[in-house]
Amino acid sequence: MKILMFGWEFPPHISGGLGTACYGLTKAMTKQDLEIIFIVPKAWGDEDQSLVKLVGANNIPVRIKKYSFRDESIKKAHNVQYVEIGSDLIPYVSTEEYYNIINNRVNTTKQLKQYTHTQELDTITFEGGYGGSLIHEVGAYARVARQIAQEFDFDIIHAHDWLTYDAGIAAKEVSGKPLVIHVHATEFDRSGMHVNQFVYDIERRGMHAADAIITVSNLTKSTVVNNYGVSESKVTTAYNGVDDVQLSTPQKFKKNVDDKIVTFLGRITFQKGPEYFLEAAAKVLQRKKNVKFVMAGSGDMFEKMMWRAAELGISENFYFTGFLRGDDVIHMLSISDVYVMPSVSEPFGISPLEAMRSNVPVIISKQSGVSEILKHAIKIDFWDVDSMADAIYGIVSYNGLDNMFKTYGKVEVDNLKWDSAAKTIKSIYQNTLSNA
Amino acid sequence: MKNICLHFQVHLPFKLRTYRFFDIGTDHYYYDDFLNKSTLLRVAKSSYIPMNTLLLDLIKKHKGKFKVNFSISGSAIEQFEKYTPEVIESFQELAKTGKVEFLAQPYNYSLASIKSEEEFRKQVEMHSNKIREVFNKTPKVFHNAHYIYSDYIGDMVLNMGYKGILIEGARHILGWKSPNFLYCSANNPKLKILLRNYKMSDDIALRFSNQAWDQWPLTADKMAGWIKNLPQDEEILNLCMDYETFGEYQHKSTGIFDFMKTLPDAILNHTDFSFTTFSEIIKDGQPVSVLSVPNTTSCADEERDISPWLGNNLQREAFDALYKHVDTMHAITDEYILQDWKYLQNSDNFYYMSTKFFADGNTPLKANPYPTPYEAFINFMNVIGDFNERVKKAPKTHEQIQFSKEELDQEIAKHTAALEQLIELKTKGNIKK
């Protein structure tokens, strides 16, 4: 079975959990005899391509046809497939480039197979990541998707998160192949109740256009069913997994202090609940001084958190590291004694699994998808700062816990493999195809 | 003479409240009064009161032919006294009939027997005193918490003066032997051993309402039929279960009370068994064989060992953290500390930290207030943190200065004089403005 998969990022160029999840998932899916063509807006060239065929949308030559250019010579080139591009994309192409496009028109079929040759001529530029012109890029991605869907041969379309839903829909329209969308997060998780209408509309459109929906937890499933008006029968939960660690760089940080280290790792935004972590830290520090708290990540609440730490007078024991990437994350976890994920709303949450894999005890909020499957974790309500503080205090004070988490937590997390997610997804494909 | 012993265990722990680390040193009250009271009120209504009434009726109806045995833990009696005196009264009514026997236990359903002989002895004594005080009966047969037993525990029990002990009829101690005989300890044949028939006991306690069970529904006649078909030479059948089985674990709507109501008639009319008490068996019965139990056994799970309480590191650490005080406690006079020492030893506190139930899941934690073993552990250790401080600060008897009578008079005179001077200062108005 061949899958055309639309993603937004792929390791090592990641800004969130989505890239990691896509990597783990595609890797496991290839073991299930699934062939994947993975599309990202921008391929950097250094991604791990051993398992999946990775295509950067920025490498797809898009032949631009403007109505004003519809002259005799273009009409004659019957083998050229056209992609309609809106006027908002004009700035990406200079007049000189237009000239080249027109002159090269006869060769375009060949050029399609030699992406590098055409790269500078007629591709759409993507910034990648969550840039300022995100909305714009999402639209552009969908237009490119239409082209891609015609170039490749596949059986089913799989789109990860709202950024790619429009691309998925476009591909479905062109190819007539069924569309599966994979919900890693919804706008309600990211923004609480201050939902961005534009994003919501895209999500809703994607969910309704999809033939099947995969959610990462039952928590997300209920959001999809209740807030987007999707029939429950269309939605299936496939829990994420976690990969084995392979450090590519030597250990960067050494734990040089005797103090216990309690870590928060994630974007410092409303969704991740950093302020609850901070308040709990202040409570623990009232009683126990030899504990260091680390908030690793960046985000819109970063400054607010620093001010609050200073206001509570705990800056001496409360550290900010900024955004951590790749192996730094693993290193940070390896020197931690407790990992806290106080997310207000977390569709799944892979990071506690990574922490457990590094033998770190975890405290997670009940408002996370991962709490549905983890047993060897302390689960608290994100707002229950007292419980959180108590759990942190307990783990750093009472030695027995460490050992227990090492014995049971490691085993538990080792059993949470992407393979089971891949199996579930394969059966979703099969059902979708047989119903189509 | 063939005998059936019906035995009921009544136990309610003093459950701990959510005790945060910031309570350490500031708040010394550890118990969740609301939870304990509401649990008791519910169980009293669903189980204790209706069941006591039923048993009383049966005893009266059968005029001496129906007898039962009880083990009631000290913490259960204390909670009855505190919240539901009517339950105590109905147990007293039962005791007055003379057809009810009470067994001895460690006071607070503790695991003291595997830790300290002295503490164990003290708790058993405390328990039998309590039974004597409340029910005017002296226990003669011993029954350890959770049926925990080994040859060594048997020796301790015999040394305390008990001639019989009730233990679990675990297959790994019996082997091919049947639980339906009287045995004696291999270490000392003076200690007679009664065995719980766990198969038939659990048919009632665990499987009664299980519709997937091939013997469902279980009726009194069916039970009597099984008893009748027991091998001819088997002469004792010990049916032992939690008292809360009736009405709480097995809801009234399952017909459990009707089963109990008809059971005596069915057995007395259709079999040659009669109801009796453990001490009667101990008095007349002759052991058929010796039992050797070198390793500690219990009634729990398939393994029937002590792993549900001390199976993992959390449990062992918490257990050691508490019992490190075992030697200090003799010197403590503060009655509040002694009371907490008693309540904290409750075996349920360790049971809540068990990770075994994650794995098999077929033995639900009875009313476990904690979502995970980790939370149970943290909460308990917070309490221990506070308890440690209190024990450390409390005056110990051996540290107190001993006075002779003359010395004491001198001290009193000295302090009285100082006190008089102070009072004089005050009357003269020598007070800081």
Side-chain angles (χ1 to χ4, degrees), chain A residues 389-430:
Chain A
D390 202 45
I392 293 170
Y393 180 88
I395 296 174
V396 299
S397 309
Y398 308 133
N399 295 327
L401 282 166
D402 237 22
N403 201 332
M404 284 289 288
F405 277 110
K406 277 173 194 159
T407 329
Y408 293 100
K410 187 79 160 57
V411 173
E412 178 171 35
V413 80
D414 282 347
N415 288 324
L416 296 174
K417 292 283 185 209
W418 280 107
D419 294 337
S420 60
K423 274 180 203 148
T424 313
I425 289 172
K426 188 179 181 181
S427 72
I428 294 171
Y429 288 160
Q430 281 159 345

Side-chain angles (χ1 to χ4, degrees), chain B residues 16 349 352-353 368 370 372-381:
Chain B
L16 301 176
N349 287 329
Y352 300 145
M353 299 171 201
N368 183 353
Y370 304 98
T372 66
Y374 305 107
E375 273 132 310
F377 174 76
I378 290 176
N379 206 54
F380 187 79
M381 291 304 281

